[in-house]
Amino acid sequence: GKPASMKTIAAILDLTYNPSSPSAMATPQAIYQTVRREKSDYRVLIFDTNGSTEERVLEQELHALSVVESEGVSGAVLRTDSSGRALPFVRKVIDGGVPIVFIDRYPRGFDCDFVGSDNTGGAQLAVEHLIALGHKRIAELSTDEHISTVKERHAGYVRALNRAGQEPDDDLVWRIPLSLYRDGAAVERNIEEALGHFLDRHEPVTAVFVLHDYVAYSLLLAVSRRGGTVPGT
C-alpha cells in the first residue's frame, strides 16, 4: 500500500486526443509536474472521462467522484461533464470536505476555486480584431453546450459588435449540437452546413469567430474543400 504520509490529488478530465487541441494531455501533465515539484508527499490519480456517448462520459465522471469520496482523496481537479448532471454528486463530495478546483467551465452556485481563461475578454478582442480589419458581417460558430465557457465567449462576441455599432444577428450564430461531438464525421458535416449557411446569405459572411481550436481546424478544412483560403476568400 501507499505510505501513510502520502496524499492523493485526483485529476478528473476528458483526455480525448485531438491533434488540433493539445490541451487535453497538457493539463494532466501540468498537474503532475506541479505536484512533483511542490509536494513530494502527494501523488496524482488521473481519471479519464472520455466516452463514446454522453451517458458513458457521465458514468465515468460519477465513478471518479465516487472514488474521490470513498478513498480519502485530499482534493480534486475537475473538468465537469457538459450536461451538468454530475453536479449534485460534485456538491455531495464538496460537502463531505473534499476541495475541488474546476477548470475550463465554472458551474453556477458553487463556491469553489476555478482556473480558466478570460473568455469574454478574449472573445471580444478577437472580434474587435476582425472589425478593425474592416469586416462587417462576422458570424459565430459555437456549440449548444450550456456551460460558462460557451456563454462567456458569446457575450464577448456580442459586446464587440455592440461597441462597434454593429447589430448582432441571430442568423449569423451557428451552434453545433453537442450530441454530434462523439462523431467527428458528423461534426464535420455540420460545419460544412454552417459554412454554406454563412456564405449563402444575401450578404455573405466575410469572417467567422470560432469557439475553439477543434472547430476552427474543421472550419479551415471545410473552407479548403470549397476552394477558399484563410485569410482570403
Side-chain angles (χ1 to χ4, degrees):
K2 66 176 182 177
S5 61
M6 184 168 281
K7 303 165 192 172
T8 301
I9 294 174
I12 306 172
L13 311 164
D14 183 342
L15 300 181
T16 305
Y17 175 71
N18 188 298
S20 66
S21 182
S23 62
M25 296 310 299
T27 301
Q29 184 179 44
I31 293 170
Y32 173 73
Q33 289 176 345
T34 301
V35 168
R36 187 175 61 176
R37 183 178 68 244
E38 301 291 341
K39 294 284 186 181
S40 59
D41 59 337
Y42 276 78
R43 67 174 183 174
V44 179
L45 182 61
I46 295 178
F47 294 91
D48 182 5
T49 59
N50 176 39
S52 58
T53 66
E54 291 181 51
E55 292 300 325
R56 180 58 177 158
V57 171
L58 177 63
E59 180 184 321
Q60 298 274 69
E61 184 174 327
L62 291 176
H63 166 71
L65 288 167
S66 69
V67 173
V68 168
E69 183 183 42
S70 63
E71 297 295 326
V73 171
S74 302
V77 177
L78 171 63
R79 183 180 186 271
T80 191
D81 167 51
S82 299
S83 72
R85 289 180 293 170
L87 291 179
F89 202 92
V90 174
R91 188 175 295 281
K92 183 170 178 284
V93 171
I94 294 170
D95 290 345
V98 180
I100 287 182
V101 177
F102 289 105
I103 62 170
D104 184 60
R105 68 277 303 263
Y106 188 83
R108 287 180 176 273
F110 282 79
D111 184 18
C112 289
D113 289 320
F114 169 69
V115 178
S117 304
D118 177 7
N119 292 300
T120 302
Q124 181 179 338
L125 286 173
V127 177
E128 285 177 345
H129 173 69
L130 296 174
I131 292 169
L133 294 175
H135 294 283
K136 291 182 168 52
R137 295 281 289 170
I138 303 171
E140 179 186 11
L141 182 55
S142 186
T143 75
D144 65 357
E145 293 178 274
H146 298 292
I147 57 174
S148 60
T149 309
V150 172
K151 294 175 182 177
E152 290 166 4
R153 292 180 187 183
H154 175 69
Y157 164 79
V158 171
R159 182 186 296 176
L161 295 179
N162 285 335
R163 290 191 173 184
Q166 296 188 24
E167 186 70 27
D169 184 349
D170 289 343
D171 193 46
L172 299 186
V173 177
W174 184 282
R175 300 191 184 280
I176 303 166
L178 178 62
S179 59
L180 300 182
Y181 256 63
R182 300 292 155 186
D183 182 346
V187 171
E188 289 190 10
R189 287 193 297 271
N190 193 264
I191 290 173
E192 290 269 8
E193 188 179 347
L195 181 60
H197 174 80
F198 294 151
L199 297 180
D200 293 341
R201 301 299 88 197
H202 176 65
E203 294 180 74
V205 162
T206 60
V208 183
F209 165 66
V210 187
L211 178 69
H212 54 55
D213 292 348
Y214 169 58
V215 176
Y217 178 74
S218 298
L219 179 62
L220 289 173
L221 294 178
V223 171
S224 177
R225 284 193 289 269
R226 277 182 167 244
T229 59
V230 178
T233 57

